């Protein structure tokens, strides 16, 4: 076992981690980025479709192209692959890792957590039936097709209309599979509208809203599933059952932020399922920062990149001895507010805020403690994050209630 002192240690080499490494090194901090896989990039390496980078680079890129840009931005060699973080000790500021060279204990002055998210598995849906071959999460199916050049089957049904599920419906159709449709338990799609249009409507793939899979059948391999319509309480409606013959089931039913390493000693947000952060992406433990999908699930990698740059810059400032401003304000969720970050802020700088409404509204307003901040003359949806720059905090109390309500 050996020890190593660093200014900024970054855990996770996806878009947020690489962005944090870029800004930390540019700030002059001795930086190390740990990645558990052989190469950095995270899920973007298998996202060969376009649509990335429109906000950050002002052009449309594929996932690998987006990562290439980040590798080009990162001027210093700070990446260490095949590292697994075993434990983080907040009291002694030690990060215990396992690598090909054995156990290495890092002693960072600041830590950036950019561990991303994992897919929600099929078992979380509690669908009765056989657990047979032919059932995949959308990310696994995507990796099979785009990285390993293998089709998961011949005839497929997609469960869930999250963005990756919609994208995989199109991808599998292009590669020759019979995509019978996409079922979504909610009354509206779970992904971006642009993906519904480009991935389903343009390829004549049916979308069954307010439907779900209620049974799975097969022996060694999946042979059929039973779907049914659901009521407003998401309970199957008797008499609406329909048998669909498929050999493959792909699930896209949400992502879970990965925070097991810090959730026992960092203040967590039960709705975001990630750490509570301020406008510096600083957690409740002053030397630990966080950015990306482990803080909250984002729609666009561009937002993740922006957060990583903020976390890396301020982690470097802290590590190099600068005293960061204290938190003065706290956001409190009000009506129709789900995912929200940051939850706290210092009031010393403009910052970007992200909000996901809990239900769709045709025309609405965003209010901070009854003061109108922004009006929406278009339909807002839970599937699409609201992002805005907060500049004016004068006149507000230390606790600010955030709500989204109908436009009168």
């Amino acid at each position: 076992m050996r020890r190593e002192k660093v200014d900024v240690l970054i855990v996770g080499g996806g878009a947020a981690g690489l962005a944090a490494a870029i800004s930390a090194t540019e700030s002059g901090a001795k930086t190390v980025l740990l990645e558990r896989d052989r190469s950095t990039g995270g899920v973007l390496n298998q996202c060969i479709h376009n649509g990335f980078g429109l906000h950050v680079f002002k052009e449309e890129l594929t996932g690998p192209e987006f990562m290439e840009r980040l590798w080009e931005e990162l001027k210093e060699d700070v990446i260490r692959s095949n590292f697994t973080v075993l434990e983080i000790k907040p009291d002694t500021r030690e990060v215990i890792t396992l690598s090909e060279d054995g156990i290495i204990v890092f002693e960072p002055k600041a830590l950036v957590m950019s561990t991303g998210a994992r897919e929600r598995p099929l078992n979380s849906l509690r669908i009765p039936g056989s657990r047979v071959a032919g059932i995949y999460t959308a990310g696994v199916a995507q990796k099979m097709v785009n990285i390993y050049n293998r089709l998961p089957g011949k005839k497929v049904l997609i469960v869930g209309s999250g963005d990756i599920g919609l994208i995989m419906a199109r991808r599998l159709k292009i590669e020759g599979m019979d995509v019978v449709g996409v079922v979504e338990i909610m009354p509206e799609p779970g992904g971006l509208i642009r993906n519904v249009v480009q991935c389903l409507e343009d390829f004549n793939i049916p979308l069954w809203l307010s439907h779900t899979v209620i049974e799975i059948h097969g022996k060694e391999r999946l042979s059929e599933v039973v779907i049914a319509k659901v009521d407003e309480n998401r309970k199957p409606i008797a008499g609406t059952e329909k048998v669909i013959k498929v050999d493959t089931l792909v699930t896209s039913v949400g992502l879970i932020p990965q925070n097991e390493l810090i959730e026992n000693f960092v203040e967590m947000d039960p709705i975001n399922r990630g750490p509570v952060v301020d406008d510096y992406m600083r957690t409740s433990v002053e030397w630990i920062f966080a950015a990306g999908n482990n803080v909250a699930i984002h729609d666009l990698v561009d937002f993740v990149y922006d957060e990583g740059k903020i976390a890396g810059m301020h982690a470097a400032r802290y590590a190099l001895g600068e005293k960061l401003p204290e938190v003065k304000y706290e956001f409190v969720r009000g009506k129709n507010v789900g995912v929200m970050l940051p939850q706290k802020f210092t009031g010393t700088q403009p910052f970007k805020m992200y909000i996901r409404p809990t239900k769709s509204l045709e025309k609405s307003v965003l209010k901070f403690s009854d003061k109108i901040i922004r009006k929406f003359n278009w339909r807002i949806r839970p599937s699409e994050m609201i992002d805005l720059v907060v500049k004016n905090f004068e006149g507000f109390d230390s606790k600010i209630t955030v709500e989204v309500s109908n436009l009168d």
Side-chain angles (χ1 to χ4, degrees):
M1 182 179 74
R2 64 182 175 88
R3 293 179 172 271
E4 185 172 341
K5 294 181 183 293
V6 295
D7 292 331
V8 177
L9 182 68
I10 301 166
V11 179
L18 284 169
I22 292 166
S23 58
T25 54
E26 288 176 347
S27 300
K30 180 184 176 183
T31 304
V32 170
L33 185 153
L34 303 180
E35 169 57 46
R36 67 183 177 187
D37 288 336
R38 289 177 296 175
S39 62
T40 55
V43 73
L44 285 177
N45 291 321
Q46 64 192 53
C47 295
I48 64 173
H49 54 278
N50 58 11
F52 302 97
L54 288 170
H55 293 263
V56 173
F57 298 112
K58 309 304 179 187
E59 59 181 302
E60 198 170 38
L61 305 171
T62 65
E65 287 172 337
F66 188 94
M67 294 312 304
E68 285 283 349
R69 295 292 181 90
L70 301 195
W71 291 329
E72 290 171 3
E73 273 193 74
L74 186 58
K75 305 300 183 184
E76 297 182 27
D77 183 14
V78 301
I79 298 169
R80 300 193 192 178
S81 302
N82 295 319
F83 267 76
T84 299
V85 176
L86 303 177
E87 184 183 0
I88 297 171
K89 294 185 175 182
D91 297 332
T92 57
R93 299 194 182 191
E94 294 177 318
V95 179
I96 303 171
T97 69
L98 179 64
S99 72
E100 294 172 334
D101 297 325
I103 292 179
I104 300 175
V105 179
F106 289 92
E107 299 176 1
K109 295 177 181 177
L111 175 67
V112 178
M113 298 298 295
S114 53
T115 46
R118 65 179 183 273
E119 292 184 278
R120 191 183 299 276
L122 174 71
N123 287 343
S124 67
L125 303 182
R126 294 182 290 183
I127 301 172
S130 307
R131 292 298 180 260
V132 290
I135 302 174
Y136 306 90
T137 62
V140 170
Q142 185 182 57
K143 192 168 188 176
M144 286 180 65
V145 175
N146 293 346
I147 302 295
Y148 297 111
N149 196 31
R150 295 288 184 269
L151 283 180
K154 296 179 180 178
K155 192 172 184 180
V156 61
L157 176 72
I158 313 288
V159 181
S161 60
D163 288 315
I164 188 173
L166 300 175
I167 289 164
M168 281 311 298
R170 174 181 64 183
R171 186 79 180 107
L172 295 174
K173 180 92 169 184
I174 289 172
E175 291 300 326
M177 287 189 71
D178 181 3
V179 182
V180 299
V182 177
V183 295
E184 169 58 54
I185 197 169
M186 301 299 289
E188 57 184 85
L192 299 174
I193 296 302
R194 76 178 189 194
N195 284 331
V196 175
V197 174
Q198 295 173 0
C199 300
L200 299 189
E201 294 177 8
D202 289 355
F203 287 83
N204 297 315
I205 298 173
L207 172 61
W208 294 303
L209 297 173
S210 298
H211 280 74
T212 190
V213 174
I214 60 172
E215 292 180 24
I216 296 171
H217 298 295
K219 291 186 178 179
E220 294 184 358
R221 176 85 189 193
L222 180 68
S223 59
E224 65 181 31
V225 297
V226 180
I227 68 170
K229 194 170 184 178
V230 298
D231 59 23
E232 60 274 11
N233 297 317
R234 305 179 203 172
K235 302 296 183 184
I237 300 172
T240 64
E241 298 87 352
K242 181 180 179 181
V243 176
I244 299 180
K245 300 286 187 181
V246 290
D247 65 1
T248 307
L249 189 69
V250 171
T251 62
S252 174
V253 292
L255 300 169
I256 302 172
Q258 298 189 116
N259 292 294
E260 290 80 1
L261 289 166
I262 61 172
E263 62 185 3
N264 291 328
F265 55 84
V266 166
E267 182 184 0
M268 301 293 289
D269 186 316
I271 294 178
N272 292 4
R273 301 188 72 171
V276 172
V277 294
D278 62 17
D279 52 322
Y280 286 68
M281 301 311 294
R282 175 177 48 182
T283 70
S284 59
V285 179
E286 66 172 1
W287 63 283
I288 299 179
F289 298 73
N293 281 338
N294 50 299
V295 177
I297 303 303
H298 295 70
D299 296 338
L300 302 176
V301 70
D302 303 64
F303 297 161
V304 167
Y305 171 92
D306 289 341
E307 285 183 11
K309 293 294 283 285
I310 294 168
M313 177 177 66
H314 295 303
R317 290 174 60 195
Y318 178 87
L320 296 175
E322 185 175 342
K323 183 174 175 57
L324 300 182
E326 295 182 359
V327 166
K328 291 184 179 179
Y329 300 93
E330 179 180 353
F331 287 122
V332 179
R333 285 183 178 86
K335 184 179 180 182
N336 198 29
V337 173
V339 168
M340 177 182 73
L341 72 146
Q343 298 90 337
K344 300 177 181 181
F345 65 100
T346 60
T348 60
Q349 60 175 3
F351 61 93
K352 185 174 275 193
M353 184 179 188
Y354 302 95
I355 298 170
R356 196 180 295 280
T358 57
K359 65 179 180 180
S360 297
L361 296 173
E362 292 297 334
K363 292 185 177 182
S364 55
V365 292
L366 171 65
K367 296 180 180 179
F368 288 178
S369 295
D370 294 327
K371 180 181 179 181
I372 295 177
I373 301 298
R374 187 170 174 183
K375 293 183 179 180
F376 305 100
N377 291 315
W378 59 89
R379 183 180 176 86
I380 62 170
R381 299 174 171 84
S383 61
E384 298 183 15
M385 229 171 198
I386 299 167
D387 64 289
L388 68 152
V389 176
V390 180
K391 297 179 180 179
N392 184 13
F393 358 92
E394 297 296 328
F396 286 108
D397 293 333
S398 59
K399 288 196 174 184
I400 302 171
T401 300
V402 182
E403 68 173 63
V404 181
S405 56
N406 285 309
L407 182 62
D408 298 326

